[in-house]
Amino acid sequence: MFEGCQSLKAISFPAVLNTPKVTNFSSMFSGCRSLEELDVSGFDTSAARSLGWMFHGCEKLASLDVSNFDTSAATSLSSMFYGCTKLASLDVSNFDTSRATFLSSMFGECESLRSLDFSSFDTSAADYQHGGLSWFMDGCKSLRTVTLGPKFSFEGAGLERQCSLPTPRGDRLTGRWVSSADGMAYDPNDIPSNTAASYTAQVAAFADVDYSDSSWYGDAVSFVASKGLITGYSGTTLFGVGDVLTRAQLATILWRNACPD
């Protein structure tokens, strides 16, 4: 409908635009690279089987409200938001993806997104042979918080992992994700499927700790720090790797464990 309208900056839809019988919204705004204002909050997408590529390449959109979208009939959501490079937030927490076999590159190159909530996502139908979850979040380099629900599987309908969370990069970031479920820090490829939890990009709390894969103690430090059991030396960013634990320090750790705030 508006695909390739590269100079269009704003679209205002009248209230009389009714879409309850529309089954295909694919590529509706694809390539609208100058679009800055778009209100689709009133769209009825309940009959939509395809929403793929709908906002593909809308690189100037700073905000987009799709929180009321009904995706329960959709089989394709592939590249739906691909290349929406200015979107800093996007509410997809109510998306029903239980029928979606095409989810590939859904959020690809959304490089400004800070958080995503997939708590309602069911990826059990995502078939690798039909695109599945490949490149699902590739290029989301600003993500710092991701919430997964009990039906989010990185394997989709198959047995092998199809995608992972991106590796968080930046000042003092370790490249791992800390789980709200167990306090452990995970490499992107090790985050478990079908486990409800919020994952936060891990910040290196201590300057003297090696958080790399070769470290035998990095995960343990992350765990005790996330639980507030060990906070490092006061007034410094030092954990005290290799230092002898005193009786007073051990007593403090035990007290914090027994009486958490």
Side-chain angles (χ1 to χ4, degrees):
M1 191 173 182
F2 301 98
E3 182 180 8
C5 294
Q6 296 186 27
S7 299
L8 198 60
K9 292 187 176 182
I11 304 177
S12 177
F13 289 101
V16 293
L17 183 66
N18 296 319
T19 60
K21 295 183 179 180
V22 178
T23 59
N24 191 346
F25 287 88
S26 62
S27 298
M28 187 174 182
F29 307 101
S30 179
C32 293
R33 57 193 305 176
S34 300
L35 198 59
E36 298 175 354
E37 298 179 22
L38 177 62
D39 184 358
V40 293
S41 59
F43 276 26
D44 184 341
T45 60
S46 57
R49 291 193 293 273
S50 178
L51 293 159
W53 297 67
M54 187 173 181
F55 307 102
H56 177 276
C58 292
E59 58 189 46
K60 292 290 184 66
L61 276 181
S63 63
L64 182 65
D65 185 0
V66 293
S67 58
N68 290 324
F69 272 31
D70 182 346
T71 61
S72 57
T75 58
S76 176
L77 297 166
S78 179
S79 297
M80 185 176 181
F81 306 103
Y82 183 93
C84 291
T85 55
K86 282 200 171 182
L87 284 180
S89 63
L90 188 65
D91 186 357
V92 293
S93 59
N94 290 319
F95 273 33
D96 180 347
T97 63
S98 56
R99 296 186 180 183
T101 57
F102 300 86
L103 290 163
S104 59
S105 298
M106 186 174 179
F107 303 95
E109 302 303 324
C110 289
E111 59 185 41
S112 297
L113 283 178
R114 300 288 297 179
S115 65
L116 281 169
D117 186 343
F118 298 131
S119 55
S120 67
F121 274 50
D122 180 348
T123 63
S124 58
D127 184 357
Y128 183 75
Q129 293 183 344
H130 294 92
L133 289 160
S134 55
W135 307 292
F136 184 62
M137 286 177 279
D138 277 25
C140 293
K141 60 184 181 181
S142 296
L143 273 182
R144 296 296 178 262
T145 305
V146 179
T147 300
L148 304 181
K151 294 184 178 180
F152 191 101
S153 170
F154 292 100
E155 291 75 30
L159 298 176
E160 297 182 0
R161 201 175 185 93
Q162 298 185 38
C163 72
S164 295
L165 265 61
T167 300
R169 300 295 187 191
D171 186 34
R172 294 188 64 192
L173 293 179
T174 67
R176 295 183 174 188
W177 295 90
V178 179
S179 170
S180 64
D182 57 16
M184 296 297 293
Y186 290 87
D187 286 333
N189 291 323
D190 294 332
I191 294 174
S193 295
N194 304 117
T195 301
S198 289
Y199 292 87
T200 305
Q202 185 185 44
V203 178
F206 306 108
D208 58 340
V209 172
D210 178 8
Y211 293 96
S212 68
D213 294 340
S214 60
S215 170
W216 62 268
Y217 61 85
D219 285 343
V221 170
S222 298
F223 179 80
V224 294
S226 67
K227 298 295 184 181
L229 301 179
I230 300 179
T231 58
Y233 288 112
S234 179
T236 76
T237 59
L238 300 177
F239 181 82
V241 175
D243 291 357
V244 175
L245 191 69
T246 67
R247 287 188 295 176
Q249 290 169 340
L250 177 59
T252 300
I253 294 169
L254 294 175
W255 173 260
R256 288 172 177 168
N257 186 60
C259 304
D261 292 337

